[in-house]
Amino acid sequence: MSSGERSPGAVRVAIQGELGAYSEEAARRFFAEPIDPVPCREFREVGTVVARGVVPYGLLPIENTVAGSVVASYDVLATETLEVLGEVIVPIHHCLLGVPGTSVDRIARVLSHPVALAQCGRFLLEHPSIEAVAVYDTAGAAREVASSADPCIGAIAGRAAAERYGLEILAENIEDRPDNQTRFLVVARPGTGLPGSPRAASSARKTALLVETENRPGALVQVLLPFANRGINLSKLESRPAAVPWTYRFFMELEADAASEDAEEALAEVRRRAAALRILGSFPRWPRE
């Protein structure tokens, strides 16, 4: 973990990746206050520094419209004691970056985060001579290319990374879909609260849960029925391995506030039927673009 530029009174936010990463953009979108991004190498490091109170807030990418779920973030939510305070959606427009003076034709290797590479499959297929190399972060890839000064190495990252590390944009908008977006969850230690309202606060609310079921037929159906019977929509369901081999925990998101009457009744029923239930938090739904 390293520290970003400090501003007096700014909100410290742990992000995965170097300065200039999409997580930094997400944090600046979400918080109305100035922020001090704290770069972390891995998602679990984000969870650890927030859970231990080293940094008050953290950003975890949870899903992308092209590449799907970011499973490492679900595992952080399962293993650390964190509360979900909000969500933020960021449009993701990838660029091929290189040192000044190079060109797309000269690039032999391109570095980026595996999720970013998965979002640029068409571009990579169209350039079979370019070897895709997975690294821990998009902005970290940009910084490595700038440090190497090698005209044959490029990075897939955003415009902010190009500006920060003095790289040229060799190709822009190389993502597979123009509506490419990533959704991030804002996390903190339970009871922390936000320093203010999110920039795009909405009256509609969501609730995130972690549920473990017994390993028997119909167990998952039994914990979903209480929501369906009360007309509560389930907008996300993700299965991840639990502590015991061949058992699973489920990350769920409901389009309801946990404090509403219907949700309270449904959650009480789920608690009786499930092996374990943890409410991660209720928060405003980010407007869809």
Side-chain angles (χ1 to χ4, degrees), residues 29-202:
R29 271 190 163 229
F30 181 84
F31 290 95
E33 300 77 14
I35 69 162
D36 275 330
V38 180
C40 299
R41 188 172 180 87
E42 298 179 352
F43 298 124
R44 62 183 177 180
E45 187 181 354
V46 172
T48 299
V49 298
V50 174
R52 293 180 180 176
V54 178
V55 182
Y57 303 101
L59 266 287
L60 290 171
I62 206 74
E63 63 178 333
N64 174 265
T65 52
V66 175
S69 298
V70 184
V71 295
S73 291
Y74 292 105
D75 294 339
V76 171
L77 292 170
T79 56
E80 298 287 357
T81 303
L82 298 168
E83 180 180 358
V84 178
L85 301 179
E87 68 173 2
V88 55
I89 296 173
V90 177
I92 304 294
H93 299 297
H94 293 302
C95 302
L96 176 64
L97 312 180
V99 297
T102 192
S103 64
V104 175
D105 294 339
R106 295 186 68 186
I107 300 297
R109 298 171 68 232
V110 65
L111 315 179
S112 197
H113 190 278
V115 175
L117 294 174
Q119 295 165 22
C120 301
R122 185 178 63 246
F123 176 84
L124 294 171
L125 284 173
E126 291 170 351
H127 297 81
S129 62
I130 297 178
E131 177 191 4
V133 179
V135 296
Y136 78 98
D137 172 47
T138 55
R143 189 177 73 168
E144 185 172 339
V145 169
S147 297
S148 74
D150 188 335
C152 297
I153 301 177
I156 290 178
R159 287 181 171 275
E163 294 170 4
R164 176 170 287 277
Y165 300 109
L167 297 176
E168 284 188 0
I169 296 176
L170 309 178
E172 58 184 351
N173 300 328
I174 62 173
E175 62 276 2
D176 289 347
R177 281 171 42 180
D179 59 351
N180 188 32
Q181 301 168 69
T182 296
R183 185 167 67 97
F184 296 78
L185 296 182
V186 181
V187 297
R189 297 177 79 181
T192 299
L194 288 171
S197 298
R199 288 185 185 275
S202 168

Side-chain angles (χ1 to χ4, degrees), residues 170-247:
L170 309 178
E172 58 184 351
N173 300 328
I174 62 173
E175 62 276 2
D176 289 347
R177 281 171 42 180
D179 59 351
N180 188 32
Q181 301 168 69
T182 296
R183 185 167 67 97
F184 296 78
L185 296 182
V186 181
V187 297
R189 297 177 79 181
T192 299
L194 288 171
S197 298
R199 288 185 185 275
S202 168
S203 58
R205 292 181 69 80
K206 300 171 68 176
T207 297
L209 314 171
L210 273 174
V211 179
E212 291 190 33
T213 63
E214 302 289 348
N215 187 15
R216 56 179 173 79
L220 178 58
V221 172
Q222 289 303 309
V223 299
L224 297 179
L225 281 174
F227 304 119
N229 291 340
R230 291 169 178 82
I232 297 173
N233 188 46
L234 188 71
S235 60
K236 184 69 177 175
L237 177 64
E238 187 74 27
S239 171
R240 295 295 297 151
V244 177
W246 308 115
T247 64

